[in-house]
Amino acid sequence: MPWLSKAYRTDEGKPWVLPVVKKVEKIIVHDDRLNHEYLPILGLPEFRSSSSKIVLGDDSPAIREDRVGVLDIQERSRFVRFSQGLGSKHMDITKHVLWIVIFNGGLHSCLSLQSCPERSIFVLHACAHNPTGTDPTQEEWKQIAEGFASGNLEKDAWAVRYFVSMGIEMFCAQSFSKNFGLYSRKDNVKTMADRVLLMRAQLKAKLQALGTPGTWDHITHQIGMFSFTGLNAKQVEYMVKEKHIYLMASGRINMCGLTSKNIDYVAESIHEAVTKVQ
């Protein structure tokens, strides 16, 4: 039965080892320069330099003006803790508040930015938001800047680069656990992004064809691997117990759990849940 809350899967429901990863593994095995020595405290210099160019762009004014400091940290949660600690050294933590901003429906959830204390610190998710799958538009990002997973790196990095162009001081965490940002074969990323987009379009179309009550436009409006279906807790319980389709209690699913072999079953099950359970 489908499991809709795991990581990326192929249309056969199996993990995909990227061709570029296999290629790099062979290179590493035959690279006599590698000696398993500890990395410097800040991480591998070449990695840090390349990662800053990935997110900011080669022609970034911040890079040209030598205003970028980069360090390699395991896990984004550790980055948040690090930035909190560094910020507290230079600011009175009782006056400057750290705000975790989650985009559940675009800009409307961020309008309170203007009413926050001066020099507050915000944590913003630049693209393919997890868990909502909702991204602000470029126009909305501009409004957010004024107020204080597409497969295309240029598009995904737009918000970060725009904030830099506005002269906004910031910490930026870039994760390589799922976005494969430093791999040279960017078409591998697009292969995954395109499959997710296809599953979104097909699920929406099948639900509409079944006449499932409600609007399902949010399935294709959202982006990235994760999506909120809109199913309530009782409907999710029905999906798990009666249809053996496993998803989060919040109704969140991983679109990669959908395949050409199970999408009809999933769509029909969602239709049943919505029509039978209120």
Side-chain angles (χ1 to χ4, degrees):
M1 290 297 102
W3 183 275
L4 303 181
S5 58
K6 283 288 187 180
Y8 182 79
R9 295 282 191 245
T10 65
D11 193 49
E12 290 72 36
K14 297 180 179 180
W16 185 40
V17 180
L18 275 66
V20 67
V21 172
K22 292 182 177 180
K23 179 180 179 180
V24 171
E25 285 177 340
K26 292 178 181 178
I27 294 174
I28 290 174
V29 168
H30 297 96
D31 191 343
D32 295 331
R33 298 171 301 171
L34 301 178
N35 54 16
H36 296 276
E37 181 60 276
Y38 287 113
L39 289 174
I41 294 296
L42 297 180
L44 186 67
E46 295 86 350
F47 180 90
R48 293 189 289 116
S49 174
S50 297
S51 64
S52 65
K53 291 176 182 177
I54 283 288
V55 69
L56 299 177
D58 292 333
D59 59 346
S60 169
I63 293 178
R64 290 199 309 268
E65 298 164 9
D66 196 26
R67 295 189 288 107
V68 179
V70 187
L71 68 157
D72 188 357
I73 297 178
Q74 291 183 336
E75 301 179 359
R76 283 166 291 182
S77 57
R78 295 188 184 184
F79 164 80
V80 173
R81 179 66 187 89
F82 168 82
S83 57
Q84 281 181 300
L86 187 59
S88 65
K89 277 190 172 184
H90 300 281
M91 289 185 283
D92 183 347
I93 207 66
T94 62
K95 296 180 180 178
H96 306 290
V97 184
L98 179 67
W99 298 80
I100 309 295
V101 181
I102 303 297
F103 300 116
N104 285 311
L107 182 62
H108 72 269
S109 61
C110 302
L111 294 179
S112 59
L113 292 176
Q114 296 177 352
S115 61
C116 294
E118 186 178 353
R119 297 182 67 196
S120 293
I121 302 170
F122 297 89
V123 178
L124 303 172
H125 200 300
C127 65
H129 185 267
N130 180 3
T132 68
T134 300
D135 284 0
T137 65
Q138 291 187 2
E139 288 305 313
E140 289 173 338
W141 273 120
K142 290 179 181 179
Q143 293 180 51
I144 294 169
E146 291 169 359
F148 21 67
S150 68
N152 184 322
L153 289 175
E154 298 297 316
K155 181 179 178 181
D156 288 348
W158 188 91
V160 176
R161 297 176 185 180
Y162 182 76
F163 274 49
V164 170
S165 73
M166 293 290 287
I168 296 173
E169 297 292 336
M170 61 185 182
F171 293 106
C172 177
Q174 184 178 194
S175 169
F176 294 99
S177 61
K178 291 186 177 70
N179 68 9
F180 315 105
L182 287 183
Y183 293 163
S184 59
R185 302 296 175 86
K186 302 298 182 257
D187 54 339
N188 288 173
V189 182
K190 193 173 188 305
T191 297
M192 293 183 287
D194 286 348
R195 195 181 91 73
V196 172
L197 292 173
L198 177 63
M199 290 298 100
R200 287 184 179 277
Q202 289 187 358
L203 179 60
K204 173 185 172 181
K206 291 180 184 296
L207 289 171
Q208 291 177 331
L210 289 167
T212 308
T215 175
W216 299 96
D217 290 339
H218 59 280
I219 298 294
T220 51
H221 286 169
Q222 296 168 3
I223 194 169
M225 291 208 311
F226 302 102
S227 178
F228 272 125
T229 58
L231 298 179
N232 61 40
K234 290 184 178 180
Q235 291 166 343
V236 169
E237 184 179 15
Y238 178 88
M239 294 278 284
V240 173
K241 292 185 175 180
E242 302 298 327
K243 311 304 294 186
H244 302 286
I245 296 176
Y246 304 99
L247 63 162
M248 303 296 289
S250 61
R252 186 190 79 158
I253 64 173
N254 181 349
M255 298 304 299
C256 301
L258 294 175
T259 70
S260 57
K261 298 179 181 64
N262 67 28
I263 193 167
D264 286 326
Y265 180 75
V266 172
E268 291 164 2
S269 298
I270 291 176
H271 178 80
E272 275 189 38
V274 171
T275 54
K276 290 184 177 181
V277 183
Q278 301 301 316

